[in-house]
Amino acid sequence: MPRSSPRSRRSPRTLIVTNDFPPRRGGIETFVYEMARRFPPGEALVYTSAGGAGADAFDAAQPYPVVRDRARTLLPTPRTAATARALARRYGCDRVWFGAAAPLGLLAGPLGLPSVATTHGHETWWAALPGTRRLLRRIGRQSDTVTYLTAHSRSRVAGALGPDAASRMARLAPGVD
């Protein structure tokens, strides 16, 4: 069962589903955290993988609930989808943001919520390989918006997402250090 640290009296409206969240360190982790902390208080809920050492203290300091799964890595499995659906209902979320489109953006369809999937560098590699390219196409079909950070990353990913999804891509240029 996931561990939860409810921090807000207001119901969050955006469910953030990600493997990339502190206290893990890295570029996507920093990006997702910085975006999450810019949500108005009470308007976000983070569902993420187990955090390791320091996660409980980190989560308790956030102005939004952080729910840690027992898995070290969230995968787009039926169990992960069921947990995300249950969290969305429990916390009143009416939309979902996938901090990294691949692979968790594959949950967009099963969750049935308006969704945004953010691409980073690793999706450009997914776009280059036949098997993962097909998975990106599914993500593109199921997500309402797929974001990209640079024109280069858009050019690498758009073809894999398919023509419908490419027309629904949006540049996300946040003020994240």
Side-chain angles (χ1 to χ4, degrees):
M1 197 65 186
R3 294 180 294 127
S4 175
S5 356
R7 303 290 312 157
S8 173
R9 291 192 176 115
R10 291 177 50 199
S11 292
R13 297 179 47 101
T14 302
L15 172 62
I16 301 169
V17 179
T18 186
N19 277 304
D20 307 298
F21 202 70
R24 287 185 184 169
R25 295 189 181 269
I28 299 174
E29 290 82 355
T30 300
F31 177 88
V32 173
Y33 169 70
E34 291 293 335
M35 292 294 290
R37 75 181 194 88
R38 284 165 170 79
F39 276 81
E43 291 189 15
L45 161 71
V46 174
Y47 173 42
T48 189
S49 51
D56 290 341
F58 177 84
D59 296 349
Q62 302 315 306
Y64 44 78
V66 177
V67 177
R68 298 272 176 183
D69 197 272
R70 68 179 182 253
R72 292 184 63 178
T73 302
L74 292 178
L75 297 172
T77 64
R79 186 187 71 77
T80 301
T83 301
R85 267 192 305 276
L87 289 169
R89 276 192 307 274
R90 176 180 170 196
Y91 287 90
C93 298
D94 60 359
R95 59 190 165 254
V96 61
W97 172 45
F98 298 100
L104 293 173
L106 290 166
L107 295 173
L111 292 182
L113 295 171
S115 61
V116 172
T118 296
T119 64
H120 301 275
H122 75 271
E123 287 87 0
T124 63
W125 293 105
W126 279 53
L129 303 171
T132 51
R133 185 178 178 87
R134 281 190 295 277
L135 294 175
L136 274 180
R137 182 146 313 220
R138 278 185 45 207
I139 291 167
R141 275 195 315 264
Q142 296 176 2
S143 300
D144 294 293
T145 302
V146 177
T147 70
Y148 61 94
L149 299 173
T150 66
H152 174 74
S153 63
R154 184 191 193 289
S155 70
R156 297 281 310 271
V157 171
L161 294 173
D164 255 11
S167 69
R168 292 181 279 107
M169 291 185 80
R171 183 156 186 244
L172 176 60
V176 172
D177 291 338

